[in-house]
Amino acid sequence: MRHAGHIEKHFTASNVVRDIVIGMADGLTVPFALAAGLSGAIDNTGIVVTAGLAEIAAGSIAMGLGGYLAAKSDAEHYDSEKAREQAEVVEKPDEEAREVAKVLRSYGLTKEEATPVVAALRQRPDAWVDFMMRFELGLEKPDPARARMSAATIGGAYIAGGLIPLGPYMLLATNDAALTASVAITLVALATFGYIKGHFTGAAPLKSAAQTVIVGGLAAMAAFSIARAIS
């Protein structure tokens, strides 16, 4: 009798989702606040759209650059820590071996069980360094393409998010009607985005949608209030 193989499903794109969340959340709230604030000061949807598009362009570049620099910093930090560990396994092997044993004991292994594992790692310097990077320092080797991917993902998500609240100003003739439609569309977009995010990350989709609407709505309200007060 054949049994179906055990298949585990794990979510492995957390960095991509994080970048989408960062870009989309800011893209939905900042252009919305700008457009809403301007609509209270001027009665010309063309000017609102022009200003909104300029903000989306500048914001996507700034956010993308921030994501790129953050990912590059992570990679540089990993490389520097790895170089330090490589030096330590050569210069202070006994101390590093004690650190390996300590890590293994933290997982419930006895001294007798940990000893052969430590001895085996000492015979494999590369594996030893990788073990210390992951289990002592909690660092994973970054994807070489991570910086470029992060920049593109955050910037693209910002543009996609920003066009949603700005859309009504492109289609409707008056600012009042556009603002009303923009508020409704932005709330629906936040709920949809939160639901999809929850589905892919394993969280309860409805709970994720509610949290996204509340947090994003509060952020948009705060930004709108500031924009209105300034204008």
Side-chain angles (χ1 to χ4, degrees), residues 81 84-85 88-89 95-96 98-100 102-103 106-107 128-139:
E81 289 296 323
R84 184 176 63 83
E85 287 294 335
E88 288 180 349
V89 299
E95 182 177 334
E96 289 295 293
R98 284 192 292 270
E99 290 180 359
V100 172
K102 183 179 179 180
V103 171
S106 72
Y107 283 89
W128 191 0
V129 170
D130 290 341
F131 178 92
M132 299 303 288
M133 292 294 293
R134 177 175 295 183
F135 295 103
E136 183 192 24
L137 302 179
L139 298 176

Side-chain angles (χ1 to χ4, degrees), residues 16-29 31 56 59-61 63-64 149-165 193:
V16 174
V17 169
R18 184 191 66 180
D19 289 343
I20 292 175
V21 169
I22 291 172
M24 184 70 73
D26 278 12
L28 283 169
T29 55
I56 290 173
S60 63
I61 293 171
M63 293 289 290
M149 184 181 298
S150 180
T153 303
I154 294 176
Y158 190 96
I159 293 172
L163 290 175
I164 292 173
F193 173 58

Side-chain angles (χ1 to χ4, degrees), residues 6 38 51 60-61 69 82 88 91 114 119 123-125 134 146-148 161 168 170 196 210 212 216 218:
H6 174 61
L38 287 175
S60 63
I61 293 171
L69 293 176
K82 185 172 184 179
E88 288 180 349
E91 298 169 1
Q123 300 301 315
R124 300 169 176 82
R134 177 175 295 183
R146 169 74 184 137
R148 295 189 300 274
M170 300 177 180
I196 294 173
T212 304
L218 289 175

Side-chain angles (χ1 to χ4, degrees), residues 73-195:
S73 295
D74 289 342
E76 290 168 358
H77 174 63
Y78 181 90
D79 291 340
S80 66
E81 289 296 323
K82 185 172 184 179
R84 184 176 63 83
E85 287 294 335
Q86 288 172 331
E88 288 180 349
V89 299
V90 174
E91 298 169 1
K92 300 182 290 184
D94 293 337
E95 182 177 334
E96 289 295 293
R98 284 192 292 270
E99 290 180 359
V100 172
K102 183 179 179 180
V103 171
L104 293 172
R105 287 197 299 273
S106 72
Y107 283 89
L109 275 69
T110 65
K111 180 179 179 180
E112 291 72 20
E113 291 170 332
T115 297
V117 178
V118 174
L121 285 174
R122 294 188 69 158
Q123 300 301 315
R124 300 169 176 82
D126 291 341
W128 191 0
V129 170
D130 290 341
F131 178 92
M132 299 303 288
M133 292 294 293
R134 177 175 295 183
F135 295 103
E136 183 192 24
L137 302 179
L139 298 176
E140 296 284 347
K141 182 175 177 59
D143 183 345
R146 169 74 184 137
R148 295 189 300 274
M149 184 181 298
S150 180
T153 303
I154 294 176
Y158 190 96
I159 293 172
L163 290 175
I164 292 173
L166 199 61
Y169 292 91
M170 300 177 180
L171 302 175
L172 301 176
T174 64
N175 280 345
D176 289 341
L179 176 59
T180 301
S182 182
V183 170
I185 290 173
T186 300
L187 290 175
V188 171
L190 286 168
T192 303
F193 173 58
Y195 187 93

Side-chain angles (χ1 to χ4, degrees), residues 10-74:
H10 297 286
F11 185 74
T12 58
S14 59
N15 286 333
V16 174
V17 169
R18 184 191 66 180
D19 289 343
I20 292 175
V21 169
I22 291 172
M24 184 70 73
D26 278 12
L28 283 169
T29 55
V30 177
F32 166 78
L34 174 65
L38 287 175
S39 67
I42 57 177
D43 190 22
N44 188 319
T45 56
I47 295 177
V48 174
V49 170
T50 300
L53 290 175
E55 195 288 323
I56 290 173
S60 63
I61 293 171
M63 293 289 290
L65 180 59
Y68 179 87
L69 293 176
K72 288 291 288 184
S73 295
D74 289 342

